[in-house]
Amino acid sequence: MRVVLLFLLVFCSSSIFAASALTVFDHLGQKHEFSREQLLSLPQKEITTSLPWVEGERVYSGVTLLAVLETINVPISPKVIFVALNDYKVAVPQDDFFDYQPIIAIKQNGKFMSVREKGPYWLIYPISSNPDINNADFYAKMIWQIRDIHL
């Protein structure tokens, strides 16, 4: 019984650790991994917005994709593919990152987001301050539980 409990403890802790890493694949297929701590060391940005999936306005904090790409010195591609933990994928046009500056949210109301709370990373657009993007097309781009980003 102790062996089973120990195995479960090790398995669960490694799964939690793996879930907190964000992987970026560049144009050449090269893999760049970022821990949550590395992402927190980059310039942080906050977006206060209401979203269809949560009640009321919330404050999301995290990093812009451009700040992440600057650290690995790679340009942004015309379409950026985000992949969730469940392999759901969404393509986001390059223009969105310049026009709306969505963030890869790490925290919601100052607290880290668990997988259950759509974390560890969630692409958040400033919906409340941009009524023109408060629609289903932009909701579909706000992928949560982000695991990988492909340029």
Side-chain angles (χ1 to χ4, degrees):
M1 182 68 164
R2 282 187 182 179
V3 173
V4 171
L5 288 175
L6 182 60
F7 174 77
L8 286 174
L9 181 63
V10 170
F11 177 76
C12 289
S13 64
S14 65
S15 297
I16 291 166
F17 179 74
S20 65
L22 178 67
T23 305
V24 177
F25 293 93
D26 66 22
H27 305 85
L28 302 173
Q30 195 169 24
K31 182 178 177 179
H32 306 271
E33 282 201 348
F34 292 88
S35 67
R36 181 168 71 183
E37 291 73 26
Q38 288 172 311
L39 293 172
L40 289 169
S41 72
L42 298 175
Q44 300 294 295
K45 180 180 175 185
E46 284 188 351
I47 293 177
T48 302
T49 193
S50 58
L51 299 172
W53 309 281
V54 294
E55 244 182 79
E57 271 198 347
R58 309 263 174 119
V59 178
Y60 296 92
S61 60
V63 296
T64 64
L65 178 62
L66 298 176
V68 172
L69 297 182
E70 193 173 285
T71 67
I72 56 177
N73 198 28
V74 296
I76 191 167
S77 54
K79 290 260 187 217
V80 179
I81 309 296
F82 286 81
V83 182
L85 293 174
N86 66 357
D87 291 327
Y88 175 80
K89 295 176 183 163
V90 65
V92 179
Q94 175 191 68
D95 291 345
D96 283 13
F97 298 100
F98 295 103
D99 296 344
Y100 305 108
Q101 297 179 6
I103 62 169
I104 300 167
I106 301 167
K107 295 181 182 180
Q108 180 185 83
N109 290 338
K111 296 181 182 171
F112 293 112
M113 296 177 294
S114 68
V115 171
R116 174 174 242 162
E117 299 163 322
K118 300 183 175 22
Y121 309 110
W122 187 357
L123 186 65
I124 299 289
Y125 282 79
I127 298 293
S128 293
S129 60
N130 292 283
D132 58 315
I133 64 171
N134 192 357
N135 60 59
D137 290 338
F138 279 86
Y139 300 160
K141 296 176 194 177
M142 288 194 277
I143 184 171
W144 52 74
Q145 299 174 337
I146 300 169
R147 180 189 68 210
D148 301 335
I149 300 171
H150 298 261
L151 303 175

